[in-house]
């Protein structure tokens, strides 16, 4: 059995990454950075495509993430550069005050370089959303004429379904809080970590959602930004998207003698290209037919499989005489509905297991593994967001003795989460290397949320 370290994508040593980034910053901008901020990527144990239906999601923050070095400017310019080789096209400059005018006719010219679809939009969006938040929350009121120089580096695969985009938004917004708001001015550098309350973090996660929806134009439901901003080390965050309340749950009972690995398939996804929003529109049409604004409301407080069947029967009854649902294919709407509902039931079961309420379940790891695999089948057959390599990785993992495996993230590319005993890893890595040279493994060690370094 052959294994190589090359397949493992290490998170790197934060201090080393920071010191390298800070010296690159000096080279690029000819002055020192004022600080460095980090936000993690995430792996979701369950709860894909249901955050925008107010379902429950179970994310964990990764040790991998995005680092932002920054220094404030007084001329109102926002200058950005990324060290990611595939995205780097030099320094992008905009007038910070004019971000957010994009939607208004004729305002496009006010933005230099800030083209739609450009990575800089995530950072522009973070500043715009912070400014919006600051109008009602004095701690976050952005100083007049605020601008900044920013340099970005990430240890996450980009487009790998591990939320590099949310990590970029969240690390950037922390930099802006630190450099441009009263909260930052009263609490320099890492004092900011202590000064940020849970409520602050909740508000900042919500601001990053606005950045992505209103400036970038992607249909995020808030899972990724909540994970990056509010995760806890060693815990799964049980996130109820009805009110964005979170409950950190111990993951030790699953991981005793097992590992969670994210397998980046090397096939990058493009969320903004319409397929993701297409799936969402199908599910929303189903919700509308059922008379619910949010699909979570179609299920009782503690949903079970029988409740799902009941809602599906109701859908069939209502759809019987129809040719389409809101102009969309009925079969597709029904499958998206079934994915959303069964995914909600799986989340509820996992929450129950991890919160210790299921005292007496003897084989908790294999039960969790089965839930993961059932989640993959639902992503493949009902949400229809899986793809060949992901299906192959899941099959291979199960054949090599994994307890469970599933596609995570929005789909159409991205990563597979695998629950496996360490003894099975050498064979699994060897088998995965035969599938594709682009596959990378990431150790999922539930880590802390976004912070100043
Ligand atoms: P993911 O699953 O990684 O979040 P997305 O397609 O949602 O995939 O987001 C990836 C996009 O986020 C990139 O195309 C880029 O615009 C932006 N992005 C993420 N990380 C970086 C980075 N380190 N530097 C520049 N842009 C980044």
């Amino acid at each position: 059995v052959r294994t190589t370290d090359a397949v493992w994508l290490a998170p790197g040593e934060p201090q080393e990454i920071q010191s390298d980034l800070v010296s690159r910053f000096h080279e690029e901008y000819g002055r020192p950075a004022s600080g460095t901020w980090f936000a993690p990527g995430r792996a979701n144990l369950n709860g894909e495509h249901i955050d925008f239906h107010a379902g429950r999601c179970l994310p964990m923050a990764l040790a991998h993430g995005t680092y932002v070095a920054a220094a404030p400017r007084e001329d109102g310019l926002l200058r950005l550069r990324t060290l990611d080789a595939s995205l780097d096209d030099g320094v992008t400059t905009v007038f910070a005050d004019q971000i957010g005018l994009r939607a208004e006719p004729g305002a496009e010219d006010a933005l230099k370089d800030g083209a739609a679809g450009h990575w800089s939009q995530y950072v522009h969006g973070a500043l715009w959303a912070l400014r919006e938040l600051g109008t009602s929350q004095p701690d976050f009121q952005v100083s007049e004429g605020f601008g900044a120089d920013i340099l970005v580096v990430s240890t996450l695969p980009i487009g790998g379904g591990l939320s590099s985009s949310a990590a970029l938004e969240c690390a950037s917004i922390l930099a802006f809080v630190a450099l441009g708001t009263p909260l930052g001015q009263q609490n320099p550098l890492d004092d900011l970590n202590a000064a940020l309350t849970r409520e602050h973090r909740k508000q900042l996660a919500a601001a990053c959602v606005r950045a992505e929806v209103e400036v970038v134009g992607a249909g995020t439901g808030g899972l990724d930004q909540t994970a990056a901003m509010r995760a806890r080390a060693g815990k799964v965050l049980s996130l109820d998207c009805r009110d964005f309340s979170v409950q950190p749950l111990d993951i030790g009972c699953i991981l005793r003698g097992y590992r969670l690995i994210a397998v980046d398939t090397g096939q990058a996804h493009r969320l903004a290209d319409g397929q993701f929003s297409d799936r969402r529109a199908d599910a929303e049409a189903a919700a509308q037919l059922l008379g619910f604004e949010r699909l979570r409301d179609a299920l009782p407080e503690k949903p079970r499989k029988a409740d799902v069947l009941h809602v599906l029967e109701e859908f069939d009854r209502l759809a019987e005489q129809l040719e389409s649902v809101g102009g969309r294919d009925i079969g597709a709407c029904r499958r998206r509905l079934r994915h959303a509902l069964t995914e909600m039931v799986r989340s509820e079961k996992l929450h129950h297991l991890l919160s210790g309420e299921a005292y007496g379940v003897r084989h908790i790891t294999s039960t969790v593994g089965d839930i993961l695999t059932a989640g993959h089948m639902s992503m493949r057959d009902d949400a229809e967001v899986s793809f060949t390599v992901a299906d192959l990785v899941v099959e291979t993992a199960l054949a090599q003795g994994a307890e469970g495996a599933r596609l995570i993230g929005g789909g159409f590319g991205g990563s597979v989460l695998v629950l496996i005993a360490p003894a099975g890893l050498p064979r699994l890595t060897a088998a995965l290397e035969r599938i594709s040279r682009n596959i990378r493994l990431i150790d999922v060690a539930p880590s802390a949320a976004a912070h100043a370094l």
Side-chain angles (χ1 to χ4, degrees):
V1 174
R2 187 176 67 93
T3 55
T4 63
D5 286 330
V7 293
W8 287 92
L9 187 66
E13 192 47 58
Q15 261 95 34
E16 277 172 31
I17 297 168
Q18 179 189 21
S19 95
D20 191 43
L21 184 63
V22 162
S23 59
R24 294 290 298 268
F25 184 97
H26 205 295
E27 276 166 37
E28 182 63 52
Y29 295 112
R31 66 196 189 111
S34 307
T36 310
W37 295 266
F38 170 83
R42 65 107 183 96
N44 198 16
L45 201 55
N46 196 79
E48 300 297 0
H49 288 253
I50 58 168
D51 52 353
F52 43 77
H53 291 306
R56 185 184 294 281
C57 306
L58 297 158
M60 297 157 279
L62 302 174
H64 302 65
T66 299
Y67 297 74
V68 162
R73 297 179 65 89
E74 284 172 5
D75 57 5
L77 287 180
L78 180 58
R79 300 200 298 174
L80 312 173
R81 181 163 192 185
T82 177
L83 293 178
D84 182 84
S86 65
L87 294 163
D88 179 23
D89 51 3
V91 176
T92 297
T93 308
V94 296
F95 285 107
D97 278 355
Q98 286 166 0
I99 295 167
L101 296 180
R102 132 172 321 281
E104 291 169 22
E108 292 82 1
D109 293 345
L111 293 168
K112 187 173 169 266
D113 295 331
H118 193 266
W119 69 270
S120 57
Q121 293 297 294
Y122 291 94
V123 186
H124 295 170
L127 180 54
W128 171 83
L130 181 64
R131 233 197 258 120
E132 289 285 301
L133 173 60
T135 60
S136 59
Q137 161 44 304
D139 286 346
F140 292 138
Q141 193 174 10
V142 179
S143 334
E144 192 94 8
F146 172 76
D149 288 337
I150 287 200
L151 192 63
V152 177
V153 73
S154 188
T155 54
L156 287 163
I158 292 176
L162 301 173
S163 292
S164 69
S165 45
L168 176 59
E169 290 153 5
C170 292
S172 304
I173 211 165
L174 279 194
F176 296 138
V177 167
L179 302 177
T181 70
L183 194 76
Q185 271 130 33
Q186 289 151 19
N187 300 280
L189 294 178
D190 55 349
D191 289 352
L192 182 67
N193 295 331
L196 281 171
T197 62
R198 287 181 190 164
E199 189 54 30
H200 283 136
R201 287 183 172 275
K202 188 175 183 185
Q203 291 167 347
L204 292 174
C208 288
V209 173
R210 287 198 67 187
E212 189 151 338
V213 173
E214 295 177 51
V215 177
V216 179
T220 178
L223 157 66
D224 303 341
Q225 294 78 5
T226 304
M229 207 48 99
R230 302 171 70 193
R232 304 278 186 87
K235 310 278 181 184
V236 170
L237 206 62
S238 183
L239 161 65
D240 187 335
C241 295
R242 285 180 292 191
D243 56 2
F244 281 83
S245 59
V246 297
Q247 200 178 329
L249 301 177
D250 231 311
I251 191 165
C253 57
I254 304 180
L255 291 186
R256 212 163 291 135
Y258 291 86
R259 303 253 309 262
L260 277 168
I261 309 293
V263 179
D264 171 26
T265 61
Q267 186 168 323
H269 67 90
R270 289 292 331 134
L271 278 191
D273 74 355
Q275 286 170 299
F276 184 84
S277 36
D278 224 44
R279 297 300 186 272
R280 180 173 174 165
D282 288 340
E284 281 169 352
Q288 208 174 8
L289 183 70
L290 289 161
F292 294 105
E293 209 167 299
R294 327 177 297 178
L295 279 178
R296 178 66 183 84
D297 298 331
L299 294 172
E301 186 57 31
K302 296 206 165 177
R304 310 167 76 102
K305 208 169 160 188
D307 302 310
V308 172
L309 295 176
H310 180 74
V311 179
L312 286 171
E313 276 167 19
E314 177 67 2
F315 178 87
D316 291 339
R317 193 182 63 75
L318 292 165
E320 204 180 351
Q321 305 295 327
L322 301 177
E323 280 178 5
S324 67
V325 178
R328 310 191 72 84
D329 178 72
I330 289 179
C333 291
R334 190 181 193 278
R335 289 193 294 280
R336 310 308 173 238
L337 173 66
R338 192 166 57 185
H339 169 74
L341 299 176
T342 58
E343 188 82 346
M344 287 180 197
V345 171
R346 282 187 288 277
S347 275
E348 226 50 52
K349 265 195 204 157
L350 284 169
H351 174 93
H352 192 64
L353 283 167
L354 292 174
S355 53
E357 289 169 31
Y359 183 77
V361 174
R362 287 181 55 212
H363 304 290
I364 189 160
T365 307
S366 65
T367 308
V368 170
D370 291 346
I371 296 174
L372 287 181
T373 306
H376 182 73
M377 302 312 165
S378 182
M379 291 284 269
R380 188 189 66 187
D381 302 333
D382 285 345
E384 294 181 283
V385 297
S386 193
F387 52 101
T388 312
V389 185
D391 293 339
L392 252 175
V393 169
V394 170
E395 260 172 49
T396 306
L398 296 176
Q400 298 301 333
E403 295 292 326
R406 70 165 294 163
L407 174 63
I408 53 173
F412 310 107
S415 301
V416 166
L417 185 65
V418 177
L419 178 61
I420 190 165
L425 269 175
R427 278 177 48 192
L428 175 63
T429 36
L432 292 176
E433 280 180 294
R434 286 195 290 273
I435 295 178
S436 161
R437 282 164 180 252
N438 297 329
I439 280 176
R440 291 285 173 274
L441 304 188
I442 287 177
D443 190 29
V444 178
S447 300
H451 55 273
L453 285 169

